[in-house]
Structure formats: structure tokens, C-alpha cells
Amino acid sequence: SSEFSEASTTQLMNPYTGDWDRELMEKLGIPSRLFTPIVDSGTLKGLLLPEICEDTGCNQARVYSVVSHDTGSALAAVPAAPGEKFVFISCGTWSLLGAELEKPLINEKSLKYNYTNEGGINRTTRFLKNIMGLWLMQECRNQWNKEGRNLSFADIDLHTMKAEPLVRFINPDDEIFLAPGNMPKRIADYCIRTGQTPPQTIGETSRCITESLALCYRLAIERLEEMLGYKVDTIRLVGGGVKDKFLCQFAANAIGRPVIAGPVEATAIGNIAVQLMCEDVFANLEEARAAVSRSFEITEYKPQDVEVWNAAYQRFLKIAQIQ
């Protein structure tokens, strides 16, 4: 069988019916017989094979399909309260930003703003946008360490702290930042091309990255709220990006609302939570999310210097040439 969240990312599943679009497959010349039935997360798949139990010493455990798309599992672990209207940001190498909806949202604006409808737990829709994430910082660190600097991310944070705030910005989603390579040079080249002073230090480069990502989140949330037709209650940030305290604080500053960060290992936690729901440890997703909230470190970042960041946002839009 094929699990719902994973199937939803193939572009061969009808988002309204939740089943394979066999008419589309026929038009594309793709044989539908290759595709197994779509099942929900939480479906019992069977028992662990006897030979695996023998090799590992495990009991013959039940095996369930979880929310097998990693962002889907991360969203299952977002410790939101029942009825809370939240934006989630699953941040690691990429940032996935969106909302959990009861049904797909497909219209001209979702096409224009490049939002996708992907499956979530309980056949919900992950209405989200892919945004560049900490890939930029990872590639910068790789380059600096190639040059013999031997920097940890904690070392980079110390440099960030010393750099002047809100001096220069990039559009993190510009295609020039997609491939691996000398990222500090590409960031400097982007700044020169857009009439800005290029960063000269590690801290100036790292601050440019995190501030630009935070401002990019604000743009994505504004567009999301425009499409949803309402203001969200909270911003929930999960994943590896939670470790970057500058990014969390800058996101709160840029958006002008608190950012609630955690847990870090959201994908693994969501995977486990679904299995525990299947085993009736949790009665439903609300109970599972409440347990996540009690069990892991959750930090709230309150916005600071909002007016300064509002002015910076207008500069960012012009530099990034975003209409």
C-alpha cells in the first residue's frame, strides 16, 4: 500500500478525492497498475518478520504506517492546543511554512504564491510553501572550514552577535543559492548586484542569512493569511532550526508576533506519536500533541524592536524585488 501523506506529494493523487488520479495517469501514459492502494497513516501493516525478531531479539511487534512524509510527521508533533489557528515552520536545511487545513485550498492565489497542498495526519491538508532554510548557513560553514577556520555553529553565533543588525538582505529563494559551492561569495555577489555593501566578516554574512530568512517568513505568512482569510493565533517553529536562537528571535521580530519554538526532533517525535495513537496510548492527536508539549523543551520568543524590523521589511521587499 501507499501511505496518504507520501502519495500526496507525487502530483498523481487527486487532492479532493484522496485517491490516485487514474485519468491523469492515462493521459501521461503511466500504467496505474503500478500503484498500490492509498491508506491512512495509522494503518496496521502487519507484524515484524520472524527472522528480524530472531536477529535482533525483538518481540514480534506490530508495524504501522506512520505519516511517512517527514514534514507530515513533524506537523503531527507540533504541540498546538485544540482549536488553535497556527502557522507551522518546519525548519532545517529547508523551511516548510504553512497551515493545517481540513481540505485543500487550490485557487489562482495559491498558484501565484506557489503554495502546495500535501497530505497530513487524519487526511488533513498541509497547505505550505517551500522556503530556503539553514542550507545557506551550512554551506557557508562548509566553505569557511575548507579555508581552515574550523568553526562550529556556536562559534558562528558568537560572530553573529558582534555584527551590526539589519544592514543587508538577500532573497533566500533566489536560484543562485540552490547549488552547493562557495556560498559566502554568492551572498557577497548578490549584495553587490543589488547595490548593497557586501558582508566582510563571518558575522555579517551569518546575520544577513538569518535576518533575510526571518523576513522571508513574514512575507510567506502575510500571503498565507491573505489566502486563508484570517489571522493566525500563533507561529510554531519545529525542527533543527529551533537550535538557532538568532533565527527564532529574528523571526519573532520580523513577524511581530511570538514564535513558539520546539521540539527539535519533531519528525521522529511525530512518527512515534502516531504509533502510540495506534496502540491506544493516546486517544487522538490532541492528546498526543499535549504530551509533546509536556515532554519536550518549548521556548517562546517575544518580538523586539518591531518598528525597526517593519522598516527593514520594506527594504527587504525592494532588494529582493518582491511585489
Side-chain angles (χ1 to χ4, degrees), residues 202-220:
I202 291 168
E204 288 175 358
T205 301
S206 61
R207 186 173 277 274
C208 173
I209 290 169
T210 45
E211 289 175 345
S212 298
L213 279 174
L215 293 164
C216 200
Y217 293 162
R218 171 172 172 170
L219 174 66

Side-chain angles (χ1 to χ4, degrees), residues 1-3 36-48 61-66 278:
S1 60
S2 304
E3 188 272 328
T36 54
I38 295 175
V39 299
D40 291 344
S41 53
T43 299
L44 179 65
K45 303 287 286 185
L47 300 175
L48 206 59
R62 287 178 288 275
V63 179
Y64 297 98
S65 62
V66 294
C278 295

